[in-house]
Structure formats: C-alpha cells, structure tokens
Amino acid sequence: MTTELGDLYQEVILEHSKAPRNFRRPVSANHEAEGYNPLCGDRCTVYIDMDGDKISEIGFQGSGCAISRASASMMTQMVKGKTKAEAVKLFEQFHNLVTGKDEAAKADDLGKMAVFGGVSKFPARVKCATLAWHTLQSALEDEKKQEAVSTE
Amino acid sequence: MSTAVHQTGSAALDIERIKRDFPILDQKIHGHKLVYLDSAATSQKPRAVIDALVRYYEHDNANIHRGVHTLSVRATEAHDEARETVRCFIQAADANEIIFVRSATEAINLVAETYGRANVGEGDEVLITAMEHHSNIVPWQMLCEEKGAHLRVAPINNAGELELDAFEKLLSPRTRIVAVTHVSNALGTVNPLRKIVQLAHAHDVPVLVDGAQAVPHLPVDVQAIGCDFYAFSGHKVYGPTGIGVLYGKEEILAEMSPYQGGGDMISSVTFEKTTYNVVPYKFEAGTPDIAGAIGLGAALEYISKLGMDKIAAHEHDLLTYATDKVGAIAGVRLIGTARERAGLLSFVMEGVHPHDLGTILDHEGVAIRTGHHCAQPVMDRFGIPATARASFAVYNTREDVDALVEGMRKAQEVFA
C-alpha cells in the first residue's frame, strides 16, 4: 500500500469496518433518521435514545463501504453520553478534519477518530466518512424523520 | 456508402498503435501507468477528435444556417457532414432522421415529451424493462404521472437477460410505446432487439432503443433492427460531451410536435402564428453544439476506419478474458452473466465494498466505476447496493485486465 492509502485504511478503521460496534437498533430508541448517499447507494440509519439533552444510547444499521461503516461505528462510541451540543460540535470538528480544513483537530477532542485524517487526501470519500454524522445530526433534530437525509 | 462505414479487413487491430491515438492514456496515476476501464461512463477521445474540435474553432467557427459569409458556409457544411456521418454509422435511410441533441438522456426526453405526450393517455401503458438506466425510466415515469398512465416493467432473469415471454405478455392493447436498452450499462446484457421490435410491432407499438452502451461496441443498423427511435450519446463513442443523437423514422418524426421553441426550428414567425421547420430542424431549437457534432463525426469516422466488426471482435476477446480472470478470483460474484454481453463486467467481491475496491485500484492506476451505475432497480433486483464495473474500449488490452486482477488481489489483502 502507498502511504496515502495506508493513512486511509488504518488498522483501526479496517477493524471497525469488519466488526462495527453498536450495529443495532436500541430498543429504547426515541429518535432516528435515515441517511443516504445517492451517488453510491450507501445507506445508514442512526437510532438514538435521548435522555433530556443527553444521548444515552445510540446504534446504527445500514450498508456501506469500510470508511462509512467504521466512521459510523466509532461515532456511536464517541457521542454516547454526550449532549446534543457536544455531538454537533464534534461533527464540526470531524468535518474539518476529513475535509483537510483543520489539521489541529487531530490532537483535539476527536480522540481515536483522528485516524480519519487520511480521508482528506481522498475528496471522493469525504461523503462516505460523513454520512453517519449527517444522519446523526438529522436524528438529533427530529423525533421521527420522514425523509432520508441526503449527502447531496 | 453504408458499406464503407462498416468495412472489415482480415488484419487484426494493432491495439498498441491505437492506444497512442489517445493522448490522455499516456500518463501515470499514483506512479502507475493509467489503465482506463471506465469507458462505459465516458470514453477517452482520440487525437482525431481533439484536432477536429481545435480545427473547427481555429478556422471555421461561425453560426450555422445564418450567414452568407464563408465561415458560416463552412460551419454549416461541416455540421451537415457530421449528420451524414451519423446517418451512415447507424445505417439510417435519410440524414433527416438524425436529430442532434445533448445526450441519449435528452433524446429519450424528447420522445417522451413529444411523441409520448401526444400518444399516451389516461390508463395507457408504457413498457420498459428491469435493466434500464435511470434515463430510460424517469422520463417515462414523469410522462405516466402527468397522463395517469402506467409504467410496466418486463422482468429479467438471474443472468440479467430479458424474459421475452413475460415481455410479450405485458404487451397489451393499452401499450403505447416500448422503451428498451440495446446494451445494459450495469450488466452488459445485449438485448434481442429484432425479436423485441417484431413482438411490439405485431401489437402496433413503436419501439425506442437506448443505444448509449451499444454504439461504441457493436455495428448498429437501425433499419435492420427496425426500431422507431434510437438514442445515443457522443461521449461514450469517443466523441465530445454535450452532443447526442436521436434517430427517428421520418414518417413518425414528421407527425410529431416540436420539442423546444426558438430559432432554427421555425419556417416563419409572426405574433399570431409560427410555422415550424421540417425535420430534423423542427427538433433543434437554438444554436446547436456545432463543434460537438463535428467532433462526434470525427469520432465515428475514426472508429469506422478501424472497423466496427474488428472492434467488436477485439472487445469480445477482452470480455471473455476478463470474465475468466475476474470470475476465477475467490469471493467474486459476477453480476450479469447473460449469454450475449458487450463492453463491460460488473461484479461484487466478498468482504470488499465496491468503493473501497475503487479507491485501492485507483492507487494502482486502474480506473473503474463503482456504485449503482444509475440503475438502482437493477441493483435491487440482484439484492446489492452497488457493484464494481470494469468497462472496455478499443484501446484496452489483456494487460489492462491483468492490472485489474492484480489490483483486486491487493484489495483482498488489505481487507483479509
């Protein structure tokens, strides 16, 4: 693998894509949203149990590439227990990271998710990495989202 | 003469020499020689096409059908010649049956909005197949919605072949038009067009053929096929983007109402009444893509010189080779295994999503398409969200297929 490719498919990303965490619908879920990337057909549904302003439980389901699955898996681990505002802020930082706008984000609050910094060298894959986050944002906003949120 | 277009010779094509006709192929991607296997999305352009565009803009550019000055005459003649080249290439009876449009998509929309609107009414039916590209689904869906008509879909089998018996049963007294692809862009299936046209015509139903994926790969003879409309895009057959062709039988075109209003599509205009121009101009409102038509003409001349029969034979050899090699990789499932296929190979790999495969192949210099190929119903039919698709053109070689296979093995290692 080239260095760039190695930066994209880091071991932790491959591992999460093969064995995604929280890959389920929590029985207590009271918010959900479906995300869809019409360019590639990737789908992702995010389920949240909001306890007041706090994400007390979260899960996801769907089909997609290694980047989108790993991103969704690690996102669920990261935002569990966070408030809505904290989750939205993390999305902003993550978005800056994968679009190459904020190199410093690697060292900030994103923790393990800093491994997605390699995505910034692959503009065509940014939407794969952010699909779950877009869907999370939509799920946070609406109790029941009727239409799938799109990356487009 | 039509025989000049589809000339054949005994000598095989010199692919290495042909490759050198395509300047873009002489480059490295991520340190590897570019292997372009995405010609079904858009083909690369030979020097002859690029030169024709430059020559036109440097020497002949003017608006057509307008001026008496020399440049306008030259531009008009070049545009007319391109129309004749297209006629010859698809063996139409008359150059007036060739309408220049933007793309195959626009060609289909033109028919849906003119012929369709005039002939499809409430309770009527439009019959398509389950292997259509979105461009041969959505315009008919829009028409059916507007008119209160029904879209009927003939099924395909597990190999990706049209089920002809079911197709025939779906032809009803309410069927107003059949729209079917010549070659499937997602599966590579070649449809038995003569049989389809024969069945449809037996019910007095006209047939539109989406030929976007066929014209680069097979000799096409619209009169032998017998179809009423045939649509294709220039950019998939070595021509520029932004130019496409609608062929229609002259007697049907003459009856059809115009598509868009504007200049060039009229004979005379007053505020009270406008008289429309004759075919094909009736359907070509506004200044057309003159350079695009000339570029398309150059492209068709280029491949006609090589010989469509020879190109078809070369690509058939490549497809057979690729099917064997790719099909032999453990965990690979071919999507679309019709007996008659052309131009492409669609597949999925266990444990490697098409997107990841596409990215890894790109780092080996190999360009393929990944996704649903604008044929989501085909993906649904096979229960998959996406496929990887390697598609071939005259400039591809067995070495290109080897590079693909090598890259696929590397992808398997990454995801092992």
Side-chain angles (χ1 to χ4, degrees), chain A residues 5-8 14 18 25 36 51 53 56 58 62 70 83 91 113-115 117 139 149:
Chain A
L5 208 52
D7 285 348
L8 180 67
L14 292 174
K18 286 173 200 162
R25 182 188 196 287
Y36 179 51
D51 182 6
D53 195 38
S56 66
I58 180 166
T83 65
F91 179 22
M113 290 208 84
V115 296
V149 58

Side-chain angles (χ1 to χ4, degrees), chain A residues 1-2 4-5 8-9 14 18 36 38-42 63-67 122 125 128, chain B residues 30 32 353 355-360 362-364 369-372 376 385-386 414-416:
Chain A
M1 272 204 288
T2 61
E4 264 185 13
L5 208 52
L8 180 67
Y9 292 113
L14 292 174
K18 286 173 200 162
Y36 179 51
L39 293 182
C40 57
D42 283 2
S63 67
C65 62
I67 304 301
F122 295 81
R125 305 303 297 274
C128 308
Chain B
H30 297 294
H32 297 269
H353 189 278
H355 270 179
D356 298 311
L357 177 61
T359 293
I360 290 168
D362 181 54
H363 273 248
E364 299 294 318
R369 170 85 188 264
T370 61
H372 54 57
Q376 286 176 1
V414 172
F415 287 92

Side-chain angles (χ1 to χ4, degrees), chain A residues 48-106:
Chain A
I48 314 174
D49 177 3
M50 289 298 283
D51 182 6
D53 195 38
K54 210 177 86 181
I55 300 169
S56 66
E57 191 56 78
I58 180 166
F60 82 102
Q61 288 181 323
S63 67
C65 62
I67 304 301
S68 75
R69 277 165 74 94
S71 174
S73 170
M74 292 173 75
M75 177 193 80
T76 59
Q77 289 186 315
M78 169 150 266
V79 301
K80 189 172 167 182
K82 297 276 195 299
T83 65
K84 185 176 166 181
E86 287 168 336
V88 170
K89 184 157 177 277
L90 282 171
F91 179 22
E92 199 180 311
Q93 288 181 335
F94 183 77
H95 200 270
N96 286 341
L97 175 73
V98 296
T99 51
K101 282 184 195 147
D102 187 8
E103 288 290 314
K106 284 177 187 170

